[in-house]
Amino acid sequence: NFMLTQPHSLSESPGKTVTISCTRSSGSIASNYVHWFQQRPGSSPTTVIYENNQRPSGVPRRFSGSIDSSSNSASLTISGLKTEDEADYYCQSYDNTNRNWVFGGGTKLTVL
Amino acid sequence: QVQLVESGGGVVQPGRSLRLSCAASGFIFSSYVIYWVRQAPGKGLEWVATISHDGRNKYYADSVKGRLTISRDNSKNTLYLQMNSLRAEDTAVYYCARDRWTPEAGGGMDVWGQGTTVTVSS
């Protein structure tokens, strides 16, 4: 199985831009789609980015996703940060070899 | 509206069994891959199991293989998780979630239930 590694926590000020990375330990990041979930305290996860860079309806354009084969990582970028963006963020992808669905460890984003 | 509602959680002693249910509504349940995902207290999300739209194919995380069994009844629009030989480390909120694509998996989990809590303790 491969692992997806995310920074444990990040902190940024309102109005700024933050990028959360998700690095795949083995195999190509481009092999399978990466999806990103937001989870606020006490709530179920919701999708903010799917299929590497697609935004579900209702998710603000401030949220964007990308992959970088040179660093074998995916990124979630949130611009114009708002206090409501404060949450845990998880990346997720699929392991074809082992038929496992893999989550990153999650990043706690603080906006203050 | 599209909805998944879990039930069946509770407090159970180590080694005992529990069955979780996930009732679906607002979409054609039999067309979608469904997942169980869990979250231990203060921890991250962990994939548990996946079942194909027709129930023929099932996949499990190594941590639960042989103890937890995913199944579905498409006539009742319901997903199940039979949990046997429970351990303290199975303590978590259990979520069911739907794949965005149909009928195959790959689009990510687009609809999540509210979760049901399982506590394994003597």
Side-chain angles (χ1 to χ4, degrees), chain B residues 78-95:
Chain B
T78 303
L79 173 77
Y80 302 101
L81 186 66
Q82 178 66 43
M83 310 173 72
N84 297 334
S85 303
L86 282 163
R87 305 168 179 169
E89 53 264 39
D90 295 318
T91 294
V93 175
Y94 285 74
Y95 297 99

Side-chain angles (χ1 to χ4, degrees), chain A residues 35-40 44-65 75-80 82 84-85 89, chain B residues 100 109-112:
Chain A
H35 316 288
W36 290 91
F37 302 96
Q38 176 193 68
Q39 187 179 33
R40 295 190 174 103
S44 302
T46 61
T47 306
V48 290
I49 293 290
Y50 67 96
E51 295 174 16
N52 297 341
N53 55 17
Q54 302 299 302
R55 266 180 299 104
S57 59
V59 172
R61 295 180 64 178
R62 304 184 294 106
F63 289 80
S64 63
S75 295
L76 171 68
T77 298
I78 311 171
S79 60
K82 301 184 176 184
E84 68 204 45
D85 298 331
Y89 291 85
Chain B
R100 172 171 283 99
M109 298 132 188
D110 73 331
V111 178
W112 295 69

Side-chain angles (χ1 to χ4, degrees), chain B:
Chain B
Q1 73 278 24
V2 175
Q3 196 172 8
L4 296 169
V5 178
E6 302 92 338
S7 61
V11 180
V12 61
Q13 293 178 330
R16 303 300 289 265
S17 298
L18 201 62
R19 190 177 81 157
L20 306 183
S21 299
C22 168
S25 59
F27 65 100
I28 302 174
F29 180 69
S30 60
S31 293
Y32 288 85
V33 169
I34 307 289
Y35 306 90
W36 284 105
V37 176
R38 69 185 180 184
Q39 187 169 34
K43 302 297 184 182
L45 301 174
E46 179 189 15
W47 168 73
V48 172
T50 302
I51 188 166
S52 59
H53 68 100
D54 56 5
R56 292 184 178 182
N57 297 304
K58 306 174 184 181
Y59 308 98
Y60 298 94
D62 288 344
S63 59
V64 306
K65 207 170 289 184
R67 300 186 302 114
L68 275 57
T69 303
I70 190 172
S71 62
R72 65 192 298 164
D73 185 338
N74 285 343
S75 69
K76 295 182 178 179
N77 292 339
T78 303
L79 173 77
Y80 302 101
L81 186 66
Q82 178 66 43
M83 310 173 72
N84 297 334
S85 303
L86 282 163
R87 305 168 179 169
E89 53 264 39
D90 295 318
T91 294
V93 175
Y94 285 74
Y95 297 99
C96 57
R98 185 190 81 169
D99 196 280
R100 172 171 283 99
W101 290 357
T102 175
E104 302 300 326
M109 298 132 188
D110 73 331
V111 178
W112 295 69
Q114 85 289 350
T116 188
T117 300
V118 173
T119 303
V120 183
S121 173
S122 54

Side-chain angles (χ1 to χ4, degrees), chain A residues 2 4 7 9 32-33 39 49 52 54-55 60 68 76 81 83 89 94 102 104-105 108 110:
Chain A
F2 63 83
L4 296 173
S9 62
N32 304 92
Y33 285 127
Q39 187 179 33
I49 293 290
N52 297 341
Q54 302 299 302
R55 266 180 299 104
D68 179 0
L76 171 68
L81 276 168
T83 54
Y89 291 85
Y94 176 60
V102 182
K108 182 177 180 60
T110 301

